[in-house]
Amino acid sequence: MKIPYFPGCTLKTTAQNFEMSAIESAKKIGIEFIELPRWNCCGVVASLTSDDLMRHLAPVRNFLRVQEMNKQGLVENENRLLTLCSMCYNTLSLSNLRMKNDADDLQKINDFMHKEEENYDGNIEVVHFLSILEEMGFDKLAQKITKPLKDLKVASYYGCMLLRPKEVGIDDAEAPTILENFVKSLKAETVDWDAGSRCCGSYHTVNNVEIVYTLVKGIILDARKNGAEAIITSCPLCAFNLDVRQSEIKKDNPDFQTIPIFYFTQLMGIALGLNKEALGLEFNKIDAEDILKKKKLIK
Amino acid sequence: MKTGIYLCQCGGNISNTVDLNSVTEHIKKNDENILVKINSHMCSGAGQKLIIDDIKKNGLEKVVVASCSPHFHEKTFRSTLKKAGLNPYVLEIANLREHCSWIHKDIPEIATEKAKDIVDAALAKAELNYPLEEKKMQLGNEILVIGGGIAGIQTSLDLADSGKKVTLVEKLPTIGGNMAILTKTFPTEDCAACILSPKMAAILDHPNITLYTNSEIEDIVGHRLHFEARVKKHPRYIKDTVNMDLCLSCNKCTEVCPVTQPNYWEQGIINREAIYIPAPHAIPFKYLIDAENCLHFRDNSCKKCAEVCPQNVIDFEQKEEIINVAVDSVVVATGYDIFDAREKSVFGYGKYENVVTAMEMERIVDHIVEAEPPRKVGKRVAFVQCVGSRDEQVGNEYCSRVCCMYSVKLASLLKQAKPETDIYIFYTDLRAFGKGYEEYYKRSQKMGIKFIRGKPSHFTEDKETKQVIITVEDTLSRNIIETEFDLVVLANGLVLSKSSDIVADSLKLAKSDDGFFKEAHPKYKPVDTLVEGVFLAGTAQGPKDIPDTVAQASAAAARVIATLAQKEVPLDPILAFVHQEICDGCEKCLEMCPPKAISMNADGKAAVNEALCLGCGSCIESCPIEALDLNYYTNKQLYAEIEAVLKFKKENEKRILVFADDNTTYRLIDACGVRKMKYTDCIRVLRIPSGSRVTPNLLQFAFAKGADAVFIGDSPEKSSRFEWANNVTNKNLEVVKKKLKELNIESERLVFSQFTAADMMKFITEIDQLADKIDKMDPITDELKKQLLPNKEIKE
Amino acid sequence: MAQIIKLKDKNTDFLEKITELSGEQITLCEQCGTCSAGCPFVSEMDINPSQIMRLVMLGQESVMDSKTMWLCASCFTCTVRCPRKLDLSKVSEALRQVKLRGAIDEIDIKEISDEEALKLPTIAVVGSFRKFTG
Ligand code: SF4
Ligand code: SF4
Ligand code: SF4
Ligand code: SF4
Ligand code: SF4
């Protein structure tokens, strides 16, 4: 299956290891990401006021690229746009929702982009890679696993953007299960904890890192308390806060017990038998290899 | 002179466009025996007197009034005829205003020609109109009460005391409903069972009440003061005789039964066996076996109860029974279910063991004073209000009205039994609106129960202590409270009981936005429904407390009594009937009628039950020899109308024949007229009860007689009185389209479309498009027309 | 010490402005406090989210000086819980916009060290500038 893929800025810069692991894992299960030609910023963060239509220009331009890819035969009849980053997913989806619900706004945006060859027709669906996996069937994924993540206790961290608001959430906003189902399909153990969809502090990491420390500490403690040995996320920003900020907490409090943070496709890659170089584990700030070695999953 | 036609000028509304003199000439030319009169306002006293005088003096037998839409003055003129001693149903209205003069104002000549066609059709139909008897339906004394909670109990007792015969159906093995689970009641704190039990016992003893417990309504047919219900009585697996209970209630069976299951009447706080009596106050006080969990039914591995029973009354072979009841009225008292708190997942009900529903708390509190209570409550107890009510996140906007007070009650009872308990009630608004409620609320505050204004955002659980941690803003001090509780009680809201659905569907009862049954009018018809003879009692209509429920239940009984006191009601005579002399008893029509109005009579011929028939006409098509027919819209009448309305169509002209259902499409076309909208002048409109009335034979006949296109209009399934009709119409259409295709005639000439009352523009667009389409087609040749004539003989 | 306020037309003007900009009918707020209790940042805030709703309803422009709107990270926790289906993240955004459109930036790019700038995820930097600069 070939699917148009929107990488977004972060996966091309600070989180290249996440992209790499996702692309390689996807290949293993027969999914090929076709990167959008000429993609631009997703428009982050989703604009929430009623009168700032222009903020939706950037997302819509990306949708046009998908339309073009179909025309050029880069993909076949594929109106879905795949994202790996929850924040991109959220921003693109919210803009798309507004375009789909408000014909006037769509018209205005199209008029504004009159230099583009065609209009956005409102038919693109933004999807997160997790949803594609779910659609394919976690049971099918389970069958393709060559290295079951036996005994590894994994806490699923959803953060905000994948679940909220409800209109774009990929799962039940309060009782999600998609990541747990993913974890089970890798044959790892799920962890029942409370902090799975608690905010990590998001972009406050830029200018209010203290808050992020507080939130991250709370999340890690809850994971510890409930026996987690690893945390997976689906968002490079969450991953940054949980991983890099956690390492800084550790620096100041040597007693602090850390938990490695994995991007979900990094664990998926291990289970699919990819070698650790393809997954960029060495870029994770909190040592990610240790626990995997302990569980005899990598050498 | 037998037929008279009155052409109304309508103060110029008609006569300024339509040349009524030319119409008069046209009529006279065709039949000089017809009496024709022109008058400026036929609906006026003078106009009506004209008709009365002519009937009396000239012995008119049929009357046509060519005027405005029948929806304006048909009733007026029918009563005019009645006054003159003529049967009102020999009247026919020709709609010259809404369907002609107002639409075609700019083209008076064409309008006049169209008016002639309309008048011809009306005359042809009037010729075949015959007196219809407005029969009376006798009302009896039988009432079905659905639901044996306090509402159903009260209604049944009131009705039975006034001499009515009541059939009371309850799905559970005992009556008493939710009230039978409650501990004490607010604000008086008298015990629920103590006030309920005497009423429950009275139900059993009353000679006028037949009680079916453990029984469900399978289906109800009927629509107006006559209903036939099918009741399915589930087996109890205990032998029963009418006069004497064989079972001695010795309890030997439960002592040996190895199964344990949560007892519903204890809300799972206490268990029961597979053979059990629901509650000590159960009525009827009879054992039953829960077949779902009994080992005998599961894998045949046990019959211990049967072995020990001294009376030998256990009967594993017992089967369910179907009981048919025919009644004059139905009282729906199907009650409420509590909101399923699992839907509000942030509160962890079902996941955290110390989060319970208020219903469970009723039982917990009821047992709390026992030496070894089945469930302890701990030191710190919280009540959380508005769970599943006033919460749009779960789709419920309404206030459930009782939960504030029951929480106050449960808290007060707990505090009295265990004064050391620290009790908090988290609320958003506290509603203590009833008599004595505010005082009761104040009493609870005096006891030291703390009311905190704030709705918790979420709970978590301390995995070791199993305490529940509530996070909530005290909106009055603006502090965030994050505290452990030993027990959290959810004040679940009320939703309509699931078992109501079957009743809602079969009686076609409307629901309000809150999901409860909708009353006919919220102010002055609060216990009636839009279905005549169906009444509401209790929480099925919306959340209410016990006093309101009982009051409303008595009100429902009073409304039933008042309704049945009419003794008889007139029946609309426009119903199906069977030409007994033609019917050959083939039974093909039996399955056709959704209200099940057709059955076979003693002579082996089909017969229509006038109390059940709705007059849709859907069945007519099913009779291969046209023995089935519909009063006022008989086959003969419709053939005659079709022929007459097309008779004077000229060589070069095109015609669309529109069959408009009386309820929606016909009125919609009226509305186009009222707004003086314009559409093609080639249409001719005939009135029918529903699209399904137009059988394939009639459709083919229309083409054979010169229609270039036929257009059927009806309301969409959802809003139709006859939700099945469109299916029949589509089937009829298929048949005719196939025929057209066989003959190489364009099947687009036959159109079926659905409208709501405001779809004027849709109608005009569609009809104009159709006119354009047929303009571009070659006319249907005479040869083909001949082949389209229905090949069976048209019966008299 | 209780503050005595007068409710004047200009108070309603402020309410209407925020209502329009956020697209949220603020008068619908029933002050249940669900939003405040669930907000991950509430302990850092000087005014609770629910209280912001209250003060905006009363047309108190003093909310513009509160830290709350800058702390709201549009995490939508309150959005999915508000029993009146109000979206507080939109109200925060509207308040921020009122300020930012007055060309006052809440964040100064020069304050971020080079080292920090290099390691930050791009999406965080872009996101925070979108939220904090006019
Ligand atoms: S046969 Fe069924 S009801 Fe009777 S004792 Fe056995 S399990 Fe219980
Ligand atoms: S009665 Fe009280 S608890 Fe129940 S919905 Fe109304 S306000 Fe909420
Ligand atoms: S007219 Fe309708 S309701 Fe009456 S018998 Fe026929 S199908 Fe049944
Ligand atoms: S949750 Fe909604 S209704 Fe409740 S205080 Fe917050 S904004 Fe107001
Ligand atoms: S959206 Fe803002 S106010 Fe609402 S919970 Fe998140 S941070 Fe708090």
Side-chain angles (χ1 to χ4, degrees):
Chain A
M1 180 175 78
K2 287 185 178 177
I3 185 160
Y5 158 57
F6 176 84
C9 50
T10 310
L11 291 168
K12 290 292 181 193
T13 52
T14 47
Q16 287 173 26
N17 50 338
F18 298 170
E19 182 185 42
M20 199 159 71
S21 65
I23 291 178
E24 292 305 315
S25 307
K27 264 192 209 147
K28 274 267 180 189
I29 54 168
I31 300 174
E32 193 183 340
F33 295 180
I34 313 289
E35 188 170 319
L36 293 198
R38 298 194 290 135
W39 56 267
N40 54 254
C41 172
C42 67
V44 80
V45 277
S47 179
L48 296 170
T49 41
S50 55
D51 65 345
D52 62 345
L53 203 50
M54 286 310 124
R55 288 270 199 110
H56 296 277
L57 218 50
V60 175
R61 274 200 212 277
N62 287 314
F63 302 153
L64 282 179
R65 300 289 93 83
V66 183
Q67 284 176 208
E68 285 163 13
M69 286 172 83
N70 276 287
K71 282 243 169 71
Q72 294 157 0
L74 288 172
V75 288
E76 240 173 90
N77 229 342
E78 182 56 83
N79 69 337
R80 291 176 302 182
L81 172 57
L82 180 133
T83 61
L84 288 173
C85 165
S86 303
M87 199 108 172
C88 298
Y89 168 77
N90 193 278
T91 311
L92 292 171
S93 297
L94 280 173
S95 283
N96 203 19
L97 194 71
R98 178 143 169 201
M99 294 305 119
K100 282 174 195 259
N101 289 345
D102 192 326
D104 279 355
D105 282 357
L106 177 58
Q107 185 64 42
K108 277 189 210 140
I109 291 264
N110 276 328
D111 289 349
F112 193 82
M113 299 190 304
H114 61 275
K115 288 215 177 102
E116 294 279 358
E117 268 163 32
E118 50 184 315
N119 281 342
Y120 175 45
D121 57 16
N123 286 328
I124 301 298
E125 300 299 333
V126 182
V127 291
H128 191 276
F129 187 33
L130 270 172
S131 302
I132 296 285
L133 293 175
E134 185 183 43
E135 189 190 282
M136 186 187 88
F138 286 125
D139 47 338
K140 293 240 174 63
L141 177 59
Q143 287 162 16
K144 299 202 167 118
I145 295 306
T146 54
K147 206 181 277 171
L149 307 184
K150 274 235 159 57
D151 305 332
L152 183 65
K153 296 194 184 62
V154 181
S156 302
Y157 181 75
Y158 291 86
C160 311
M161 297 292 135
L162 215 47
L163 300 176
R164 300 186 290 263
K166 283 182 186 170
E167 294 73 21
V168 301
I170 69 168
D171 201 345
D172 186 299
E174 301 286 11
T177 51
I178 184 167
L179 272 173
E180 276 80 3
N181 292 339
F182 169 79
V183 168
K184 279 183 209 153
S185 73
L186 307 183
K187 304 281 181 327
E189 278 177 40
T190 57
V191 170
D192 183 14
W193 64 322
D194 295 321
S197 48
R198 202 185 285 162
C199 183
C200 68
S202 189
Y203 53 76
H204 284 313
T205 204
V206 175
N207 71 327
N208 202 343
V209 69
E210 288 305 323
I211 285 197
V212 177
Y213 287 152
T214 313
L215 290 168
V216 168
K217 239 185 255 167
I219 293 165
I220 302 294
L221 280 177
D222 190 52
R224 267 273 164 255
K225 196 171 78 192
N226 290 292
E229 297 166 319
I231 297 177
I232 52 165
T233 81
S234 60
C235 171
L237 176 51
C238 300
F240 174 85
N241 281 345
L242 293 179
D243 187 33
V244 177
R245 297 308 182 209
Q246 190 188 175
S247 70
E248 292 163 6
I249 297 171
K250 172 81 180 167
K251 216 185 281 164
D252 295 343
N253 314 274
D255 294 342
F256 187 81
Q257 284 200 318
T258 58
I259 300 184
I261 309 298
F262 292 89
Y263 193 63
F264 71 106
T265 54
Q266 287 183 313
L267 278 192
M268 180 174 161
I270 302 272
L272 287 169
L274 293 173
N275 63 29
K276 65 178 196 203
E277 287 69 33
L279 305 172
L281 292 176
E282 66 275 23
F283 296 108
N284 294 25
K285 269 278 167 316
I286 304 286
D287 187 309
E289 297 186 18
D290 197 37
I291 182 76
L292 296 178
K293 281 183 190 146
K294 243 187 235 156
K295 303 276 168 182
K296 304 207 167 43
L297 294 167
I298 56 170
K299 291 203 186 86
Chain B
M1 219 175 288
K2 300 288 182 214
T3 304
I5 176 164
Y6 299 85
L7 306 177
C8 181
Q9 296 171 325
C10 193
N13 275 313
I14 295 172
S15 56
N16 288 350
T17 307
V18 174
D19 178 353
L20 291 179
N21 291 324
S22 165
V23 177
T24 311
E25 267 166 46
H26 170 84
I27 298 168
K28 282 284 182 197
K29 204 164 78 202
N30 288 331
D31 185 347
E32 57 182 27
N33 287 327
I34 293 178
L35 173 78
V36 192
K37 286 191 177 164
I38 299 180
N39 184 280
S40 69
H41 287 106
M42 280 308 296
C43 58
S44 67
Q48 294 188 52
K49 186 161 181 297
L50 209 59
I51 301 178
I52 296 178
D53 289 348
D54 285 342
I55 293 172
K56 288 196 173 145
K57 275 189 223 128
N58 300 329
L60 288 186
E61 287 169 4
K62 309 284 164 73
V63 175
V64 176
V65 183
S67 57
C68 52
S69 167
H71 288 293
F72 281 93
H73 280 309
E74 191 169 55
K75 273 208 184 107
T76 318
F77 295 124
R78 275 190 184 154
S79 60
T80 312
L81 263 59
K82 222 175 182 171
K83 274 182 219 150
L86 214 55
N87 183 284
Y89 290 91
V90 299
L91 171 80
E92 195 62 33
I93 302 278
N95 186 343
L96 291 192
R97 193 177 72 181
E98 282 78 2
H99 287 194
C100 186
S101 69
W102 271 348
I103 297 289
H104 308 305
K105 264 166 103 83
D106 314 338
I107 39 172
E109 284 88 20
I110 294 174
T112 303
E113 293 312 303
K114 181 170 170 181
K116 288 174 188 170
D117 290 345
I118 296 175
V119 160
D120 284 347
L123 280 167
K125 167 133 194 287
E127 213 52 61
L128 297 169
N129 279 0
Y130 49 90
L132 289 176
E133 192 189 338
E134 275 185 334
K135 286 201 188 137
K136 306 272 186 197
M137 182 169 71
Q138 301 303 315
L139 298 178
N141 235 356
E142 300 275 347
I143 296 102
L144 171 66
V145 178
I146 308 171
I150 180 61
I153 290 174
Q154 185 63 44
T155 304
S156 299
L157 289 175
D158 284 356
L159 286 169
D161 285 348
S162 72
K164 305 282 173 220
K165 298 278 180 213
V166 176
T167 303
L168 175 59
V169 178
E170 166 57 48
K171 66 175 187 299
L172 295 175
T174 171
I175 56 172
N178 284 308
M179 190 175 166
I181 302 172
L182 306 184
T183 168
K184 292 178 176 162
T185 58
F186 58 80
T188 42
E189 293 187 357
D190 36 9
C191 115
C194 314
I195 46 181
L196 186 59
S197 294
K199 284 189 191 276
M200 287 166 67
I203 290 278
L204 202 61
D205 295 339
H206 210 297
N208 285 341
I209 299 176
T210 312
L211 173 63
Y212 296 108
T213 52
N214 214 23
S215 303
E216 282 173 280
I217 299 288
E218 279 238 303
D219 184 30
I220 307 177
V221 294
H223 57 97
R224 194 190 163 210
L225 291 166
H226 179 86
F227 305 89
E228 294 176 14
R230 231 180 34 241
V231 179
K232 188 204 265 173
K233 189 170 172 221
H234 296 289
R236 283 176 179 260
Y237 304 105
I238 309 290
K239 271 184 222 146
D240 204 2
T241 49
V242 183
N243 300 322
M244 181 183 71
D245 242 337
L246 294 173
C247 166
L248 303 172
S249 307
C250 66
N251 213 30
K252 290 210 163 77
C253 49
T254 59
E255 281 160 17
V256 295
C257 178
V259 175
T260 44
Q261 278 294 317
N263 185 356
Y264 172 76
W265 285 268
E266 294 287 355
Q267 290 289 293
I269 304 299
I270 294 178
N271 288 334
R272 57 155 169 85
E273 287 70 30
I275 184 162
Y276 70 109
I277 281 192
H281 49 293
I283 294 285
F285 194 77
K286 282 182 183 168
Y287 285 76
L288 76 155
I289 294 178
D290 157 16
E292 228 170 276
N293 295 297
C294 160
L295 301 179
H296 179 82
F297 288 97
R298 183 164 296 173
D299 54 16
N300 216 347
S301 66
C302 174
K303 15 178 220 204
K304 291 204 174 89
C305 53
E307 284 157 6
V308 299
C309 175
Q311 293 289 93
N312 224 342
V313 291
I314 291 169
D315 176 9
F316 295 116
E317 304 306 317
Q318 213 174 56
K319 294 278 167 303
E320 68 188 28
E321 254 175 85
I322 299 287
I323 300 137
N324 292 310
V325 268
V327 295
D328 307 282
S329 276
V330 179
V331 178
V332 178
T334 47
Y336 68 90
D337 287 342
I338 64 166
F339 169 78
D340 182 356
R342 272 170 296 227
E343 276 178 51
K344 189 78 191 161
S345 49
V346 276
F347 292 161
Y349 177 71
K351 189 174 164 204
Y352 304 152
E353 63 186 56
N354 285 318
V355 177
V356 298
T357 66
M359 223 25 153
E360 288 162 356
M361 192 63 177
E362 294 280 349
R363 300 315 305 153
I364 295 173
V365 167
D366 205 61
H367 292 289
I368 202 73
V369 287
E370 292 167 12
E372 274 302 315
R375 168 118 199 199
K376 300 206 175 74
V377 297
K379 172 93 196 341
R380 304 166 47 72
V381 177
F383 289 80
V384 172
Q385 297 309 109
C386 302
V387 176
S389 326
R390 308 178 67 206
D391 187 350
E392 290 168 45
Q393 297 290 352
V394 297
N396 292 340
E397 209 182 317
Y398 58 91
C399 166
S400 290
R401 294 179 89 237
V402 294
C403 10
C404 275
M405 289 316 294
Y406 73 53
S407 289
V408 169
K409 170 196 79 179
L410 290 168
S412 302
L413 294 174
L414 179 59
K415 190 79 184 171
Q416 289 165 59
K418 300 258 161 203
E420 68 280 12
T421 327
D422 201 6
I423 305 175
Y424 294 82
I425 296 186
F426 296 98
Y427 70 100
T428 307
D429 297 290
L430 204 113
R431 297 185 171 167
F433 56 90
K435 185 167 174 169
Y437 292 6
E438 180 65 21
E439 297 88 323
Y440 189 55
Y441 166 35
K442 185 180 158 193
R443 268 214 313 279
S444 74
Q445 288 176 307
K446 205 167 164 187
M447 286 177 203
I449 293 163
K450 292 163 210 122
F451 288 81
I452 298 188
R453 193 187 176 287
K455 188 176 168 82
S457 157
H458 58 279
F459 304 164
T460 50
E461 185 188 49
D462 183 319
K463 290 226 168 73
E464 267 114 57
T465 64
K466 299 290 174 194
Q467 281 180 316
V468 182
I469 302 155
I470 294 185
T471 310
V472 60
E473 178 186 29
D474 170 21
T475 58
L476 301 180
S477 74
R478 296 293 176 188
N479 293 314
I480 306 292
I481 298 172
E482 202 168 52
T483 304
E484 303 76 25
F485 288 92
D486 299 311
L487 187 70
V488 178
V489 183
L490 303 179
N492 302 59
L494 275 47
V495 297
L496 180 65
S497 65
K498 271 197 207 70
S499 53
S500 305
D501 286 351
I502 178 78
V503 181
D505 290 349
S506 43
L507 287 173
K508 302 197 179 53
L509 294 181
K511 291 185 184 167
S512 344
D513 290 341
D514 59 9
F516 291 89
F517 285 119
K518 187 174 185 163
E519 59 283 353
H521 188 282
K523 297 284 185 304
Y524 63 85
K525 283 187 174 176
V527 298
D528 289 42
T529 65
L530 292 171
V531 181
E532 210 179 328
V534 177
F535 301 89
L536 301 172
T539 50
Q541 181 261 347
K544 48 181 72 64
D545 54 19
I546 295 168
D548 284 4
T549 297
V550 173
Q552 198 201 26
S554 288
R559 289 290 302 131
V560 171
I561 293 165
T563 305
L564 298 186
Q566 299 172 84
K567 295 272 194 291
E568 54 179 29
V569 285
L571 284 172
D572 185 347
I574 303 183
L575 301 173
F577 68 98
V578 178
H579 296 279
Q580 292 292 321
E581 68 290 358
I582 305 177
C583 174
D584 64 7
C586 73
E587 299 195 356
K588 288 207 172 90
C589 53
L590 289 193
E591 285 309 303
M592 272 309 295
C593 169
K596 304 198 175 68
I598 311 177
S599 55
M600 303 307 284
N601 65 14
D603 303 339
K605 307 214 169 186
V608 176
N609 181 337
E610 291 171 343
L612 294 179
C613 175
L614 290 160
C616 63
S618 298
C619 53
I620 311 295
E621 164 275 331
S622 70
C623 178
I625 51 172
E626 296 193 351
L628 203 53
D629 219 333
L630 188 68
N631 277 329
Y632 204 66
Y633 298 102
T634 63
N635 283 322
K636 246 176 92 184
Q637 287 172 323
L638 292 175
Y639 284 120
E641 263 190 292
I642 294 169
E643 190 157 16
V645 84
L646 294 167
K647 189 165 174 196
F648 292 97
K649 175 192 167 193
K650 302 197 186 72
E651 271 293 310
N652 55 347
E653 284 179 340
K654 302 264 178 175
R655 281 287 176 275
I656 303 174
L657 199 59
V658 177
F659 289 102
D661 84 288
D662 194 34
N663 240 331
T664 314
T665 319
Y666 195 92
R667 290 167 197 254
L668 181 75
I669 303 175
D670 282 355
C672 294
V674 171
R675 286 173 181 69
K676 317 279 189 314
M677 296 164 110
K678 288 191 178 40
Y679 52 73
T680 172
D681 55 71
C682 75
I683 77 166
R684 301 292 181 266
V685 181
L686 299 183
R687 185 183 176 203
I688 44 162
S690 98
S692 63
R693 171 63 190 92
V694 205
T695 59
N697 278 355
L698 285 165
L699 290 169
Q700 282 181 219
F701 187 76
F703 284 114
K705 289 296 163 184
D708 298 278
V710 175
F711 187 101
I712 304 177
D714 210 329
S715 39
E717 204 173 295
K718 270 197 285 172
S719 53
S720 174
R721 278 178 67 211
F722 320 120
E723 49 183 294
W724 53 86
N726 289 349
N727 261 336
V728 180
T729 311
N730 276 320
K731 257 203 283 173
N732 293 348
L733 239 66
E734 285 300 294
V735 175
V736 179
K737 286 206 167 180
K738 201 168 142 224
K739 180 80 186 172
L740 292 176
K741 274 196 196 120
E742 272 168 33
L743 299 176
N744 264 326
I745 302 172
E746 301 84 348
S747 61
E748 305 103 282
R749 290 177 188 270
L750 183 52
V751 178
F752 173 36
S753 191
Q754 289 154 31
F755 302 96
T756 61
D759 279 343
M760 271 87 76
M761 273 325 291
K762 176 173 184 251
F763 173 75
I764 292 181
T765 317
E766 287 182 10
I767 209 78
D768 283 346
Q769 273 169 2
L770 185 59
D772 285 347
K773 238 189 233 166
I774 52 170
D775 266 341
K776 293 191 192 94
M777 294 177 184
D778 291 330
I780 303 175
T781 62
D782 287 348
E783 182 43 42
L784 288 174
K785 282 185 197 162
K786 230 179 255 155
Q787 296 193 41
L788 275 166
L789 262 187
N791 47 17
K792 58 188 155 187
E793 215 179 294
I794 295 159
K795 297 268 171 22
E796 286 296 293
Chain C
M1 202 168 48
Q3 201 187 330
I4 294 178
I5 55 173
K6 292 214 157 52
L7 300 175
K8 300 233 169 93
D9 287 354
K10 76 170 194 341
N11 300 88
T12 308
D13 293 346
F14 181 67
L15 167 63
E16 275 167 10
K17 179 161 145 194
I18 304 300
T19 302
E20 164 142 17
L21 203 53
S22 65
E24 296 299 306
Q25 187 58 47
I26 288 158
T27 49
L28 274 178
C29 172
E30 60 180 10
Q31 286 295 299
C32 68
T34 306
C35 48
S36 300
C39 178
F41 301 96
V42 71
S43 52
E44 311 286 328
M45 290 170 172
D46 49 356
I47 298 180
N48 293 356
S50 59
Q51 203 177 356
I52 294 277
M53 294 297 274
R54 186 72 193 166
L55 292 171
V56 172
M57 195 193 295
L58 293 173
Q60 299 300 300
E61 287 188 55
S62 57
V63 293
M64 297 305 303
D65 303 328
S66 151
K67 290 201 295 186
T68 298
M69 63 198 187
W70 305 108
L71 284 166
C72 167
S74 311
C75 76
F76 303 120
T77 307
C78 53
T79 314
V80 299
R81 288 188 189 154
C82 170
R84 284 282 165 88
K85 282 210 165 155
L86 288 167
D87 192 342
L88 240 125
S89 66
K90 288 188 175 162
V91 177
S92 299
E93 179 99 335
L95 293 170
R96 285 192 295 264
Q97 285 298 318
V98 170
K99 196 80 167 214
L100 296 173
R101 286 176 193 182
I104 299 158
D105 292 346
E106 268 295 303
I107 185 173
D108 187 352
I109 190 156
K110 285 175 242 121
E111 276 175 18
I112 302 169
S113 72
D114 288 353
E115 181 207 0
E116 184 74 2
L118 268 179
K119 94 178 164 191
L120 281 168
T122 325
I123 203 156
V125 180
V126 180
S128 95
F129 278 82
R130 287 263 159 77
K131 290 281 181 188
F132 295 138
T133 58

